[in-house]
Amino acid sequence: MKSYFSTSIPTFCLLSIMAITSGFTRATKSDSEWLVAEAKALIETGWWSNYTRAENHCTWPGIQCNAGTVIEIDLGGHGLNGDITPQIGALSKLQLLNLSWNSLTGELPSSLGNLTQLAVLDASYNHIHSIPLAIQRMENLVSLSLSE
Ligand SMILES: *[C@@H]1O[C@H](CO)[C@@H](O)[C@H](O)[C@H]1NC(C)=O
Ligand SMILES: *[C@@H]1O[C@H](CO)[C@@H](O)[C@H](O)[C@H]1NC(C)=O
Ligand SMILES: *[C@@H]1O[C@H](CO)[C@@H](O)[C@H](O)[C@H]1NC(C)=O
């Protein structure tokens, strides 16, 4: 128990600090360009097919934003099917991605390796058959669930 707490608490603090600072270090694109690119990537996943770029994507189901940037996608048990599109890798500030309990197929896209801030990836209970090596690049990952 002791060693569990002594290692997990610093990790948690680090993630919190990163979440706070990421608001100030947003990439090279202007804010509006960034938002358009983000909404485009979300639409291309096909998971929000009823929504349009004109709406604020931070209000779409399962999405959480921080300072206007997507940091969480929680679509566990949302009846998603088909392959995961590589565009998901463009959401570079993503910290949590929960796709569990769906009917997703194919392989996890290697573009997931671009999600260097991702701390939690839950793709369990799907029909995913392979995992790319690029996943190693997700250097902040603390929880990875790919069972079943
Ligand atoms: C999206 O649109 C389809 C067809 O128009 C509809 O059946 C479905 O319930 C809608 N989903 C949501 C989440 O609004
Ligand atoms: C992902 O969503 C499922 C279904 O809602 C839930 O059971 C699971 O605990 C979630 N995983 C994480 C890591 O939050
Ligand atoms: C992910 O990064 C690679 C280079 O490492 C790049 O070629 C690719 O376009 C990126 N994918 C996305 C979806 O941003």
Side-chain angles (χ1 to χ4, degrees):
M1 261 336 236
K2 244 186 193 138
S3 68
Y4 172 76
F5 282 112
S6 64
T7 58
S8 68
I9 289 170
T11 307
F12 175 77
C13 292
L14 193 63
L15 287 173
S16 309
I17 291 163
M18 280 171 28
I20 293 161
T21 55
S22 65
F24 302 107
T25 56
R26 197 186 296 153
T28 49
K29 290 176 183 168
S30 78
D31 279 11
S32 60
E33 270 178 286
W34 172 259
L35 288 178
V36 169
E38 225 184 37
K40 187 166 175 284
L42 291 171
I43 288 168
E44 282 165 348
T45 63
W47 299 334
W48 292 274
S49 49
N50 292 8
Y51 296 82
T52 69
R53 224 172 289 179
E55 297 164 274
N56 179 2
H57 55 270
C58 293
T59 65
W60 297 354
I63 294 182
Q64 257 196 50
C65 290
N66 176 33
T69 296
V70 179
I71 56 162
E72 289 192 16
I73 294 178
D74 187 348
L75 289 176
H78 273 64
L80 308 178
N81 52 38
D83 290 358
I84 301 172
T85 57
Q87 283 84 358
I88 195 85
L91 302 168
S92 58
K93 306 295 179 199
L94 206 59
Q95 296 167 15
L96 179 143
L97 179 59
N98 187 352
L99 300 173
S100 70
W101 296 97
N102 284 300
S103 304
L104 296 166
T105 51
E107 72 169 350
L108 291 178
S110 55
S111 66
L112 283 178
N114 293 11
L115 302 180
T116 51
Q117 318 244 325
L118 199 68
V120 177
L121 172 59
D122 189 348
S124 57
Y125 300 96
N126 279 292
H127 310 295
I128 290 162
H129 63 69
S130 73
I131 296 150
L133 215 57
I135 226 152
Q136 291 171 355
R137 284 168 32 218
M138 300 190 291
E139 54 199 25
N140 287 301
L141 205 62
V142 290
S143 167
L144 174 66
S145 186
L146 301 165
S147 56
E148 302 292 309

